[in-house]
mmCIF file of all heavy atoms in Angstrom:
data_model
loop_
_atom_site.group_PDB
_atom_site.id
_atom_site.type_symbol
_atom_site.label_atom_id
_atom_site.label_comp_id
_atom_site.label_asym_id
_atom_site.label_seq_id
_atom_site.Cartn_x
_atom_site.Cartn_y
_atom_site.Cartn_z
ATOM 1 N N PRO A 1 65.283 60.134 -3.686
ATOM 2 C CA PRO A 1 65.127 61.318 -4.647
ATOM 3 C C PRO A 1 65.023 60.957 -6.079
ATOM 4 O O PRO A 1 64.384 61.707 -6.929
ATOM 5 C CB PRO A 1 66.237 62.280 -4.384
ATOM 6 C CG PRO A 1 67.301 61.284 -3.849
ATOM 7 C CD PRO A 1 66.632 60.242 -3.094
ATOM 8 N N ASP A 2 65.466 59.796 -6.553
ATOM 9 C CA ASP A 2 65.470 59.416 -7.991
ATOM 10 C C ASP A 2 64.212 58.675 -8.374
ATOM 11 O O ASP A 2 64.165 58.418 -9.470
ATOM 12 C CB ASP A 2 66.799 58.394 -8.166
ATOM 13 C CG ASP A 2 68.057 59.142 -8.026
ATOM 14 O OD1 ASP A 2 68.111 60.471 -8.147
ATOM 15 O OD2 ASP A 2 68.999 58.467 -7.667
ATOM 16 N N SER A 3 63.319 58.485 -7.461
ATOM 17 C CA SER A 3 62.250 57.761 -7.747
ATOM 18 C C SER A 3 60.977 58.892 -7.927
ATOM 19 O O SER A 3 61.028 59.837 -7.375
ATOM 20 C CB SER A 3 61.728 56.769 -6.616
ATOM 21 O OG SER A 3 62.630 55.701 -6.592
ATOM 22 N N GLU A 4 60.210 58.500 -8.846
ATOM 23 C CA GLU A 4 59.108 59.422 -9.268
ATOM 24 C C GLU A 4 57.937 59.574 -8.177
ATOM 25 O O GLU A 4 57.237 60.481 -8.066
ATOM 26 C CB GLU A 4 58.470 59.044 -10.592
ATOM 27 C CG GLU A 4 59.460 59.129 -11.803
ATOM 28 C CD GLU A 4 58.791 58.733 -13.063
ATOM 29 O OE1 GLU A 4 57.547 58.473 -13.050
ATOM 30 O OE2 GLU A 4 59.440 58.603 -14.042
ATOM 31 N N SER A 5 57.898 58.457 -7.404
ATOM 32 C CA SER A 5 56.798 58.380 -6.446
ATOM 33 C C SER A 5 56.974 57.328 -5.470
ATOM 34 O O SER A 5 58.062 56.506 -5.660
ATOM 35 C CB SER A 5 55.430 58.052 -7.072
ATOM 36 O OG SER A 5 55.463 56.766 -7.716
ATOM 37 N N TYR A 6 56.319 57.218 -4.366
ATOM 38 C CA TYR A 6 56.363 56.075 -3.368
ATOM 39 C C TYR A 6 56.201 54.735 -4.105
ATOM 40 O O TYR A 6 57.073 53.774 -3.849
ATOM 41 C CB TYR A 6 55.347 56.295 -2.284
ATOM 42 C CG TYR A 6 55.646 55.605 -0.944
ATOM 43 C CD1 TYR A 6 55.074 56.139 0.225
ATOM 44 C CD2 TYR A 6 56.457 54.562 -0.877
ATOM 45 C CE1 TYR A 6 55.272 55.592 1.432
ATOM 46 C CE2 TYR A 6 56.541 53.936 0.474
ATOM 47 C CZ TYR A 6 56.013 54.497 1.525
ATOM 48 O OH TYR A 6 56.280 53.876 2.819
ATOM 49 N N THR A 7 55.278 54.750 -4.950
ATOM 50 C CA THR A 7 54.987 53.459 -5.633
ATOM 51 C C THR A 7 56.124 53.117 -6.604
ATOM 52 O O THR A 7 56.499 51.993 -6.618
ATOM 53 C CB THR A 7 53.719 53.599 -6.549
ATOM 54 O OG1 THR A 7 52.567 53.940 -5.692
ATOM 55 C CG2 THR A 7 53.372 52.338 -7.278
ATOM 56 N N ASP A 8 56.749 54.060 -7.138
ATOM 57 C CA ASP A 8 57.874 53.835 -8.149
ATOM 58 C C ASP A 8 59.057 53.277 -7.260
ATOM 59 O O ASP A 8 59.857 52.478 -7.967
ATOM 60 C CB ASP A 8 58.280 55.117 -8.648
ATOM 61 C CG ASP A 8 59.325 54.896 -9.762
ATOM 62 O OD1 ASP A 8 59.208 54.025 -10.677
ATOM 63 O OD2 ASP A 8 60.336 55.686 -9.740
ATOM 64 N N VAL A 9 59.259 53.521 -6.043
ATOM 65 C CA VAL A 9 60.372 53.036 -5.218
ATOM 66 C C VAL A 9 60.224 51.516 -5.252
ATOM 67 O O VAL A 9 61.153 50.751 -5.559
ATOM 68 C CB VAL A 9 60.236 53.545 -3.741
ATOM 69 C CG1 VAL A 9 61.255 52.734 -2.883
ATOM 70 C CG2 VAL A 9 60.548 55.063 -3.812
ATOM 71 N N TYR A 10 59.057 51.066 -4.858
ATOM 72 C CA TYR A 10 58.838 49.533 -4.876
ATOM 73 C C TYR A 10 58.836 48.969 -6.239
ATOM 74 O O TYR A 10 59.428 47.894 -6.551
ATOM 75 C CB TYR A 10 57.566 49.212 -4.317
ATOM 76 C CG TYR A 10 57.334 49.587 -2.816
ATOM 77 C CD1 TYR A 10 56.347 50.361 -2.312
ATOM 78 C CD2 TYR A 10 58.278 48.958 -1.892
ATOM 79 C CE1 TYR A 10 56.257 50.643 -0.936
ATOM 80 C CE2 TYR A 10 58.224 49.185 -0.611
ATOM 81 C CZ TYR A 10 57.177 49.985 -0.058
ATOM 82 O OH TYR A 10 57.119 50.422 1.343
ATOM 83 N N HIS A 11 58.252 49.617 -7.345
ATOM 84 C CA HIS A 11 58.362 49.136 -8.678
ATOM 85 C C HIS A 11 59.761 49.023 -9.114
ATOM 86 O O HIS A 11 60.153 48.022 -9.925
ATOM 87 C CB HIS A 11 57.433 50.085 -9.587
ATOM 88 C CG HIS A 11 57.434 49.606 -10.879
ATOM 89 N ND1 HIS A 11 56.904 48.410 -11.193
ATOM 90 C CD2 HIS A 11 57.539 50.134 -12.076
ATOM 91 C CE1 HIS A 11 56.760 48.150 -12.503
ATOM 92 N NE2 HIS A 11 57.193 49.333 -13.021
ATOM 93 N N LYS A 12 60.587 49.903 -8.793
ATOM 94 C CA LYS A 12 62.018 49.990 -9.311
ATOM 95 C C LYS A 12 62.809 48.722 -8.822
ATOM 96 O O LYS A 12 63.694 48.326 -9.476
ATOM 97 C CB LYS A 12 62.626 51.230 -8.826
ATOM 98 C CG LYS A 12 64.083 51.471 -9.088
ATOM 99 C CD LYS A 12 64.544 52.820 -8.587
ATOM 100 C CE LYS A 12 66.082 53.070 -8.979
ATOM 101 N NZ LYS A 12 66.566 54.378 -8.382
ATOM 102 N N TYR A 13 62.318 48.300 -7.584
ATOM 103 C CA TYR A 13 63.095 47.032 -7.016
ATOM 104 C C TYR A 13 62.196 45.824 -7.236
ATOM 105 O O TYR A 13 62.443 44.848 -6.472
ATOM 106 C CB TYR A 13 63.383 47.412 -5.667
ATOM 107 C CG TYR A 13 64.290 48.553 -5.546
ATOM 108 C CD1 TYR A 13 64.036 49.725 -4.825
ATOM 109 C CD2 TYR A 13 65.686 48.517 -5.908
ATOM 110 C CE1 TYR A 13 64.800 50.731 -4.704
ATOM 111 C CE2 TYR A 13 66.591 49.613 -5.782
ATOM 112 C CZ TYR A 13 66.161 50.746 -5.165
ATOM 113 O OH TYR A 13 66.961 51.740 -5.057
ATOM 114 N N ASN A 14 61.347 45.747 -8.186
ATOM 115 C CA ASN A 14 60.591 44.451 -8.572
ATOM 116 C C ASN A 14 59.735 44.010 -7.299
ATOM 117 O O ASN A 14 59.541 42.827 -7.213
ATOM 118 C CB ASN A 14 61.595 43.473 -8.982
ATOM 119 C CG ASN A 14 62.299 43.794 -10.256
ATOM 120 O OD1 ASN A 14 61.720 44.371 -11.261
ATOM 121 N ND2 ASN A 14 63.582 43.779 -10.304
ATOM 122 N N LEU A 15 59.294 44.903 -6.565
ATOM 123 C CA LEU A 15 58.494 44.601 -5.383
ATOM 124 C C LEU A 15 56.935 44.746 -5.613
ATOM 125 O O LEU A 15 56.199 44.592 -4.765
ATOM 126 C CB LEU A 15 58.943 45.308 -4.150
ATOM 127 C CG LEU A 15 60.305 44.895 -3.550
ATOM 128 C CD1 LEU A 15 60.828 45.919 -2.581
ATOM 129 C CD2 LEU A 15 60.170 43.491 -2.935
ATOM 130 N N LEU A 16 56.652 45.139 -6.825
ATOM 131 C CA LEU A 16 55.133 45.284 -7.298
ATOM 132 C C LEU A 16 54.929 44.197 -8.171
ATOM 133 O O LEU A 16 55.297 44.314 -9.408
ATOM 134 C CB LEU A 16 54.905 46.680 -7.812
ATOM 135 C CG LEU A 16 54.706 47.887 -7.019
ATOM 136 C CD1 LEU A 16 54.087 49.013 -7.788
ATOM 137 C CD2 LEU A 16 53.802 47.496 -5.744
ATOM 138 N N THR A 17 54.162 43.147 -7.677
ATOM 139 C CA THR A 17 53.803 42.025 -8.605
ATOM 140 C C THR A 17 52.407 41.691 -8.274
ATOM 141 O O THR A 17 51.761 42.252 -7.499
ATOM 142 C CB THR A 17 54.662 40.712 -8.164
ATOM 143 O OG1 THR A 17 54.285 40.172 -6.949
ATOM 144 C CG2 THR A 17 56.127 41.144 -8.098
ATOM 145 N N ASP A 18 51.894 40.617 -9.018
ATOM 146 C CA ASP A 18 50.577 40.183 -8.803
ATOM 147 C C ASP A 18 50.329 39.424 -7.560
ATOM 148 O O ASP A 18 49.260 38.919 -7.176
ATOM 149 C CB ASP A 18 49.966 39.381 -9.953
ATOM 150 C CG ASP A 18 50.760 38.127 -10.235
ATOM 151 O OD1 ASP A 18 51.742 37.775 -9.493
ATOM 152 O OD2 ASP A 18 50.411 37.497 -11.181
ATOM 153 N N LYS A 19 51.370 39.284 -6.750
ATOM 154 C CA LYS A 19 51.436 38.698 -5.318
ATOM 155 C C LYS A 19 51.761 39.607 -4.299
ATOM 156 O O LYS A 19 52.203 39.239 -3.205
ATOM 157 C CB LYS A 19 52.212 37.449 -5.406
ATOM 158 C CG LYS A 19 51.718 36.336 -6.353
ATOM 159 C CD LYS A 19 52.665 35.015 -6.274
ATOM 160 C CE LYS A 19 52.376 34.178 -5.170
ATOM 161 N NZ LYS A 19 53.069 32.949 -5.274
ATOM 162 N N THR A 20 51.654 40.912 -4.605
ATOM 163 C CA THR A 20 51.974 41.944 -3.670
ATOM 164 C C THR A 20 50.809 42.561 -3.009
ATOM 165 O O THR A 20 49.872 42.859 -3.729
ATOM 166 C CB THR A 20 52.908 43.032 -4.281
ATOM 167 O OG1 THR A 20 54.076 42.572 -4.889
ATOM 168 C CG2 THR A 20 53.051 44.217 -3.332
ATOM 169 N N VAL A 21 50.793 42.786 -1.654
ATOM 170 C CA VAL A 21 49.910 43.636 -1.074
ATOM 171 C C VAL A 21 50.508 44.676 -0.227
ATOM 172 O O VAL A 21 51.331 44.369 0.581
ATOM 173 C CB VAL A 21 48.881 42.571 -0.205
ATOM 174 C CG1 VAL A 21 49.712 41.831 0.944
ATOM 175 C CG2 VAL A 21 47.817 43.482 0.468
ATOM 176 N N MET A 22 50.073 45.860 -0.430
ATOM 177 C CA MET A 22 50.504 47.062 0.191
ATOM 178 C C MET A 22 49.495 47.658 1.023
ATOM 179 O O MET A 22 48.263 47.835 0.628
ATOM 180 C CB MET A 22 51.026 48.154 -0.793
ATOM 181 C CG MET A 22 52.194 47.748 -1.594
ATOM 182 S SD MET A 22 53.703 47.962 -0.636
ATOM 183 C CE MET A 22 54.932 47.207 -1.687
ATOM 184 N N ALA A 23 49.820 47.987 2.303
ATOM 185 C CA ALA A 23 48.755 48.441 3.306
ATOM 186 C C ALA A 23 48.607 49.985 3.164
ATOM 187 O O ALA A 23 49.620 50.697 2.942
ATOM 188 C CB ALA A 23 49.118 48.144 4.762
ATOM 189 N N HIS A 24 47.455 50.455 3.283
ATOM 190 C CA HIS A 24 47.106 51.884 3.412
ATOM 191 C C HIS A 24 46.792 52.535 2.072
ATOM 192 O O HIS A 24 45.663 52.621 1.537
ATOM 193 C CB HIS A 24 48.003 52.619 4.187
ATOM 194 C CG HIS A 24 48.134 52.065 5.740
ATOM 195 N ND1 HIS A 24 47.249 51.988 6.533
ATOM 196 C CD2 HIS A 24 49.285 51.354 6.207
ATOM 197 C CE1 HIS A 24 47.511 51.319 7.715
ATOM 198 N NE2 HIS A 24 48.935 50.991 7.500
#
């Protein structure tokens, strides 16, 4: 609930990088 969006969840935990691929 504290994250602004689904993407923000991953971004918050440093899981969005230039070597990240997310399906769908």
Side-chain angles (χ1 to χ4, degrees):
D2 295 334
S3 293
E4 296 179 9
S5 64
Y6 201 154
T7 302
D8 186 51
V9 173
Y10 292 124
H11 186 51
K12 181 178 181 180
Y13 295 112
N14 299 312
L15 290 165
L16 283 189
T17 75
D18 61 359
K19 297 178 78 171
T20 295
V21 57
M22 291 282 173
H24 304 294

